[in-house]
Structures are given as structure tokens and as C-alpha cells.
Amino acid sequence: MLISTKMFSILFYFTLTTSPSLAVDALPNAEVSAINNPSMAISAYQQYKETLNTLPHSIQLRWHTVAIRAALNNSQFLFAEEVFREMNISYDKAGNNQKGYYFNLSGIWFRKNGFFKQAEQAYKCAFKTTKNTSEQLKYLNNAAIVTRYTNNTEQAEKYIQKALSILEIAPHKTIEASIYNTLGMLALSQKDYLLAKQSFTRSLFLKEGKSRDSAQLISALNLLNTLLYLEDTSLSIRVLPTIERLLKRSNNIDHHTYYHWLQFSLAKLQNKQSDITSEILVKEFKLLSGSSYKALIKQRAIHLNIQLPLAKKTTKKMQYSGPILHYLKACKTKV
């Protein structure tokens, strides 16, 4: 039985767009998109996913890594966990010459899902795998972030000070910017608004023109948040154009929700009527996925005297027992 011309065209097109060679050719662009346009990277992964088992394991591993990084940047944690599971074979067979990188990647997933002890363990193991100072700085910064989440201020400060001492020997402006953002967050949690302002200002200065948009946006939002606590209206207004320019290129719901809360706060500080109501803010809060943003907005809600819904009681264990443990199996360091 002959296939109709239309059906043949569809099959031919499908074959072209999912062929192994095209999957290899599309990989470099997908790796860039995982940072700057995670939704596009995820779409590319799903387009070529069925052809991956025909490719070398090293290429499969790169595609799996693209999908995980994009999912983490897009707060799609269940999808990231699914890809971690699918990555087991390519990770094992392609060789483990980037052990620290995957310790760190699993640590990011643990941190963003509230498994803080396992996240810290992963970051400490990542740190021990390398003598590369830029990698060490990145892993120390991530460890400082996760210990801040557990209110272990003393340990967070130790990680930051260790990172700053490395920076004195081996400067790295982009990572220095991230470390100062972490220091600002630590100061903000302790209501040391002057230190927070100094830290976020330095972070934003170091990131401008050097870091990806989302990194610049986070520092700018955090700086605005701090300026509002200091009731510095004039400087707050000066930060707005930078934030709004960067927000146009962000499809991250958490970024937009955080900004709405800050817009509402600025309007109240200026004794103006906001276009956003407190009811809308509470509804948006319920849709937040990032624990960092939840903590920041809870602190701001108290300042604004806005009642947030009580957190549901959860039976979630403090220790994770799913497929991502596969990537900690070679990690011997304990917290």
C-alpha cells in the first residue's frame, strides 16, 4: 500500500529532525541554552531524546547534563530527577573524569529540594576532587548557600572566608560576584542591611557585562530588597531600569513574583497605590518553587504585615533515597 505524499513528507521531516547526526550538531547550542534559555534546551532534549541510545555514551552524557542544568534553572525538579535516573548508564559508561562536577550538580538538586545535609555533603566532596581554584570557589560558595539555609551561620561564614582567601591568591571576578551575593544573603538573613547593601552592590558591579542575565538579575533584585529595608527610595528607583531590562529576558516565575513583592513594597514606601494587591501577592507566593525566594518573601511579608498561608505539615524525610544518590556513591565525605 502506497504512503500518501503528505504522510511521506511528515515521516521524512520527523526522520530529519530526530536523526543522530542532527542531535550531535544541535548539542552545542543546547548547552548554551541550558543557561540562557532553559525552556529551549529542554525542548531540544525532548526532540532528540529517542535517538540518544544510538550515540556514543559521552554525547548522551552531555545531552543528559544539558537537560538537568536547564531543568534546575527552570525549577522543573521532577523532570530533573527523571533525567538523573536516565543518565545513570551514560554517566557510568562514559567514565567519571568530572566527578566533582556531578557531585556539584546533584548538590544543586538536593539544595533546591530541601535536602540540605546531602547537598552540603555533595559540595564538600566536589571541593575535594579538584585543585582548580575557580571550581573550588564555586563549590565553597554553594556550600555556604546551603548552610545558610540551615541557619548554620558560623559554618556559612567559614566557607565564605575560605573562598575570599582563595580569591586573594587567584582572582576570579565572576565567581567573586556570586560569593558577594551569598555574603549579602547571609547579612540580609541577620538583618545587617548595610553589609547586605555593600555586598549586593559589589556583586552587581562585578556581574555587569560579565555574568549571565539571570545572575545579574538575582543580585539586582536582592539589592532592591535591601534598599527597601533601608527605606532608600531614590536608590531603589535607580535600580528599577536594570531589573526591568533583565526581567524581559527571564521566564522564571520566581523572579517575577519576587519583583512584584518589591514593587508593592516600594509603592507603599512612596505612599502610592500599587497596581498589585496583597491578595495577588499571596496567590503568587503559593506558586513559588525556589526555597530561597520563599525565605526572602516570608521575611518581606512580615515587614509588610501580610499574612501568608501556614506551611502544610509534611512527612518529607530529611534524607533523600531516590535515584540521585547514584551520583553520591563515590562521595566519602560526611557532614
Side-chain angles (χ1 to χ4, degrees), residues 86-275:
E86 293 168 353
M87 189 171 72
N88 283 356
I89 296 173
S90 65
Y91 171 78
D92 291 339
K93 291 196 174 181
N96 194 12
N97 59 349
Q98 289 183 304
K99 192 180 296 182
Y101 179 86
Y102 291 100
F103 283 150
N104 183 62
L105 197 64
S106 62
I108 294 171
W109 189 93
F110 286 132
R111 171 172 61 82
K112 291 193 172 188
N113 285 275
F115 299 104
F116 299 132
K117 289 296 182 184
Q118 285 165 308
E120 187 183 358
Q121 181 189 0
Y123 296 142
K124 288 176 72 175
C125 283
F127 178 81
K128 288 192 172 184
T129 63
T130 182
K131 298 296 182 184
N132 181 293
T133 53
S134 63
E135 291 177 353
Q136 288 181 332
L137 288 167
K138 180 171 63 176
Y139 302 150
L140 285 169
N141 186 52
N142 285 345
I145 292 171
V146 77
T147 46
R148 178 178 60 80
Y149 285 171
T150 58
N151 296 317
N152 191 346
T153 303
E154 184 178 349
Q155 185 60 54
E157 289 175 348
K158 285 181 179 178
Y159 286 131
I160 290 173
Q161 290 307 316
K162 188 172 182 66
L164 292 175
S165 68
I166 293 174
L167 281 168
E168 290 179 2
I169 303 168
H172 192 300
K173 288 186 177 180
T174 303
I175 302 178
E176 182 182 354
S178 298
I179 290 166
Y180 271 99
N181 185 72
T182 303
L183 180 58
M185 292 291 285
L186 187 61
L188 197 60
S189 68
Q190 297 174 305
K191 299 185 179 180
D192 187 345
Y193 300 129
L194 289 177
L195 176 58
K197 176 185 173 183
Q198 292 170 3
S199 300
F200 291 136
T201 300
R202 180 162 179 77
S203 176
L204 184 58
F205 171 76
L206 290 167
K207 285 178 179 177
E208 285 182 339
K210 301 178 183 69
S211 298
R212 64 184 189 270
D213 288 349
S214 62
Q216 294 180 55
L217 177 57
I218 290 167
S219 289
L221 288 168
N222 288 337
L223 176 58
L224 175 59
N225 191 18
T226 305
L227 292 171
L228 291 171
Y229 282 120
L230 290 169
E231 299 186 356
D232 191 332
T233 307
S234 60
L235 274 181
S236 295
I237 292 171
R238 287 172 60 185
V239 176
L240 296 183
T242 298
I243 292 174
E244 291 175 356
R245 172 175 57 83
L246 294 168
L247 269 176
K248 287 178 182 177
R249 299 196 284 268
S250 172
N251 58 5
N252 187 307
I253 294 174
D254 287 1
H255 291 163
H256 289 270
T257 297
Y258 187 18
Y259 185 49
H260 289 165
W261 277 80
L262 299 180
Q263 284 180 303
F264 182 89
S265 301
L266 179 58
K268 187 169 184 179
L269 192 60
Q270 295 174 305
N271 294 315
K272 293 182 179 179
Q273 184 68 35
S274 174
D275 294 333

